[in-house]
Amino acid sequence: MARVFVYGTLKKGQPNYKHMINTAKGLAKFQGRGRTLEKYPLVIAGKYNIPYMLNVPGTGHQVAGEIYWVDERMLRFLDEFEGCPDTYQRTLLRIEVTEWEGKGGAGEERAQAQGVVECFVYSAATYPPEWLGLPYHASYDSSGKHGLAYVLRESR
């Protein structure tokens, strides 16, 4: 099992969340919500309005998202889905827990609810330089005020 932090279309209520709950692709167990410990630029880019967290630590905002435990099969699916390592790179980042799903649990869950966990995150290390000039977001919602609705793969 591995811990993964999602900040874009894979979050609950977003266009690709269906993949997180499709057990044919593997298991993903929601653990809670958090945000990156460091600031990163989260931009919406390209003709399909895809959210990208650019791997530029110290710039932008602490990016909000969700924390999941995933099995090896789901991790392999996510690598393929995210175009890793070409489009996105999967790296370990420190995530500040803002809300933990565990209800009154002892030990690890209580400690994590008050602290920081390491999670795999898909971010972009290579991208067109003009993306750094796009607006930075602290959180992503496909139907947000930005007006840049995500285009599903099956609609491209």
Side-chain angles (χ1 to χ4, degrees):
M1 298 290 280
R3 195 173 276 138
V4 174
F5 176 77
V6 298
Y7 56 85
T9 66
L10 292 167
K11 295 187 310 184
K12 290 180 180 182
Q14 297 304 307
N16 288 316
Y17 177 65
K18 61 190 176 206
H19 299 301
M20 298 299 285
I21 57 174
N22 182 347
T23 55
K25 296 178 176 171
L27 299 175
K29 184 177 184 312
F30 177 76
Q31 295 291 287
R33 291 178 175 75
R35 61 185 177 200
T36 58
L37 197 59
E38 289 191 75
K39 294 178 178 181
Y40 288 90
L42 171 59
V43 300
I44 302 169
K47 62 183 176 180
Y48 303 121
N49 297 325
I50 297 171
Y52 292 92
M53 189 172 87
L54 307 181
N55 195 353
V56 184
T59 301
H61 304 282
Q62 287 181 283
V63 176
E66 298 173 348
I67 302 164
Y68 288 84
W69 272 114
V70 301
D71 66 5
E72 189 62 35
R73 189 167 47 150
M74 178 59 81
L75 192 61
R76 281 193 309 270
F77 165 78
L78 290 172
D79 280 352
E80 182 181 322
F81 181 79
E82 298 290 10
C84 182
D86 299 324
T87 304
Y88 292 94
Q89 293 74 48
R90 175 168 47 98
T91 56
L92 273 175
L93 290 183
R94 292 166 43 97
I95 303 300
E96 179 184 351
V97 177
T98 57
E99 178 185 330
W100 202 249
E101 185 72 1
K103 303 204 174 20
E108 184 183 8
E109 285 185 357
R110 199 171 333 120
Q112 291 167 342
Q114 301 168 3
V116 173
V117 295
E118 280 199 336
C119 299
F120 283 122
V121 180
Y122 294 91
S123 63
T126 56
Y127 47 84
E130 61 269 17
W131 286 10
L132 282 171
L134 294 172
Y136 298 163
H137 304 272
S139 65
Y140 174 80
D141 183 342
S142 179
S143 57
K145 293 178 183 177
H146 49 70
L148 301 169
Y150 174 78
V151 179
L152 287 166
R153 289 179 183 193
E154 49 269 25
S155 301
R156 297 178 189 171

